[in-house]
Amino acid sequence: MKRIKHSKYKNTGLIFELLVRQVASDTMHNRDSKALRILKKHFSKNSELSKELKLYRSLHEEKFASERKADMFLNAVLKSRRQLNETHLKREKYNLVKDIKNLLESAEFFNARLSSYKQHAAIYKLFEFNEADDPKSYVDNRESLVEHIQSQPKSETKPSLVSEDKDIRILASKLVVDKFNEKYSTLSTPQKRMLREYINNVTNSEKLRSYVINETKILSAEIKRLKSTVTSKVIRIKLNEVSNLLMRLQEKRVIQDKDIVTMLRYYELINELQKVKETN
């Protein structure tokens, strides 16, 4: 009988969250993000890594009111995990960790702490081992996950900036707060939503692009509506230029980090225009 041991170097969910946190940190400090390149390279839509990641995230995010449903859901996820191509998955994990070691400070990267570490470790152990390997440890980890899944119904959870982890939420907040702190005291709801979409869809460029395009249309309409409140002819001309820039964003095939920052500034512009309207 072999003992069930956790390996953070093979834990897809843990590695993904650490990479997302690194992306947030890099962007916050205006650094070229090697972590972002790693995410886009290894977590493509049809990769086994991406499929396993969805299973990790479902066990983190889905909530059920009863223990019976939580247990049934866990069984369904474990069944789905067994259907993955194990050979391809192992090779993809090897290449992922290889890139992390080559491109990042791997010792510091893997030593970072996450508040969701316990859940990640429990999921990994159930994915990689079975009851026969270590019955007691298997049952303990299974019980821990059932309790986690049952802990709070999804409808009762408060919306957050990023769903995966508190540490990532803090860094993601800093991403914008630090950039705008000198001029603006708080983030608007649209700014928070944009940041959440950016972080959550870092490996899904098409979904992010779709969200950004939709937001540019909303912003354009809002600027057009509020422009009438501006008395300065020069500022109205500038607002027309902003509308044109928003139209160009709609034509972009790939949304870049700088485009997200630009959108956040446009949201702030809307806030300022609304203040002008209120004072008139």
Side-chain angles (χ1 to χ4, degrees):
M1 183 174 67
K2 59 182 178 180
R3 185 184 176 190
I4 297 179
K5 292 184 179 180
H6 175 238
S7 172
K8 56 188 175 183
Y9 297 98
K10 299 178 182 179
N11 189 316
T12 301
L14 182 69
I15 292 174
F16 180 84
E17 287 200 16
L18 290 174
L19 284 169
V20 170
R21 190 170 78 165
Q22 185 63 50
V23 170
S25 178
D26 291 339
T27 309
M28 179 179 71
H29 293 97
N30 294 314
R31 295 191 298 254
D32 175 49
S33 182
K34 296 177 182 177
L36 182 59
R37 297 205 297 270
I38 292 173
L39 279 172
K40 290 181 176 180
K41 176 181 177 181
H42 293 281
F43 288 91
S44 60
K45 184 178 180 180
N46 295 319
S47 69
E48 295 301 295
L49 273 173
S50 181
K51 294 174 185 176
E52 187 181 47
L53 174 63
K54 288 180 181 178
L55 298 178
Y56 268 94
R57 295 181 73 172
S58 67
L59 289 175
H60 272 286
E61 298 171 8
E62 295 296 336
K63 301 295 178 185
F64 294 90
S66 72
E67 181 179 349
R68 183 181 68 85
K69 287 188 176 181
D71 191 66
M72 289 175 61
F73 178 71
L74 177 56
N75 286 336
V77 172
L78 292 176
K79 181 179 179 180
S80 296
R81 173 60 178 78
R82 290 192 293 270
Q83 293 172 349
L84 297 182
N85 188 313
E86 200 67 39
T87 301
H88 290 174
L89 182 60
K90 286 182 179 179
R91 183 170 64 248
E92 289 175 12
K93 285 186 182 182
Y94 173 83
N95 290 330
L96 169 62
V97 175
K98 181 180 177 181
D99 274 357
I100 290 173
K101 289 181 177 179
N102 288 337
L103 297 175
L104 304 176
E105 295 290 336
S106 59
E108 181 179 344
F109 176 84
F110 281 108
N111 283 333
R113 301 183 64 175
L114 293 176
S115 61
S116 57
Y117 182 90
K118 180 181 177 181
Q119 286 78 36
H120 278 300
I123 295 170
Y124 172 85
K125 291 175 182 177
L126 293 189
F127 280 1
E128 299 292 334
F129 301 94
N130 57 56
E131 308 93 304
D133 294 320
D134 187 345
K136 183 180 184 305
S137 179
Y138 187 90
V139 170
D140 287 343
N141 284 289
R142 185 182 179 92
E143 182 181 27
S144 174
L145 281 178
V146 169
E147 289 178 357
H148 173 74
I149 297 169
Q150 187 190 355
S151 60
Q152 187 179 26
K154 199 170 185 179
S155 60
E156 295 179 13
T157 58
K158 294 181 180 180
S160 59
L161 192 58
V162 181
S163 61
E164 284 78 15
D165 186 86
K166 180 181 177 182
D167 294 331
I168 298 176
R169 290 200 300 272
I170 293 171
L171 279 168
S173 299
K174 277 179 164 292
L175 169 66
V176 171
V177 173
D178 285 3
K179 285 180 177 293
F180 293 92
N181 232 0
E182 296 179 2
K183 290 183 67 177
Y184 316 120
S185 59
T186 58
L187 293 174
S188 66
T189 298
Q191 284 175 324
K192 290 179 180 179
R193 286 175 183 162
M194 175 59 70
L195 185 59
R196 182 176 63 232
E197 290 296 321
Y198 166 67
I199 296 296
N200 283 345
N201 293 304
V202 71
T203 63
N204 191 339
S205 57
E206 187 55 39
K207 186 175 180 181
L208 177 62
R209 178 176 175 272
S210 177
Y211 182 83
V212 169
I213 289 175
N214 185 62
E215 287 299 295
T216 60
K217 294 176 181 178
I218 295 173
L219 282 170
S220 293
E222 192 67 8
I223 287 175
K224 183 177 180 180
R225 184 179 70 83
L226 293 171
K227 189 170 63 174
S228 61
T229 64
V230 178
T231 57
S232 171
K233 183 178 179 180
V234 175
I235 294 179
R236 287 203 300 272
I237 292 173
K238 291 293 182 183
L239 290 176
N240 285 332
E241 293 176 3
V242 169
S243 295
N244 291 332
L245 291 172
L246 285 168
M247 292 294 292
R248 291 179 194 172
L249 266 179
Q250 294 178 27
E251 299 170 359
K252 296 196 69 170
R253 298 185 65 180
V254 177
I255 300 299
Q256 299 175 305
D257 297 347
K258 65 179 181 180
D259 298 324
I260 301 300
V261 175
T262 298
M263 289 293 291
L264 295 170
R265 288 174 178 154
Y266 288 159
Y267 287 128
E268 195 58 43
L269 173 62
I270 294 295
N271 289 339
E272 295 300 319
L273 289 175
Q274 288 173 337
K275 290 177 184 177
V276 170
K277 182 181 178 181
E278 290 171 2
T279 57
N280 287 343

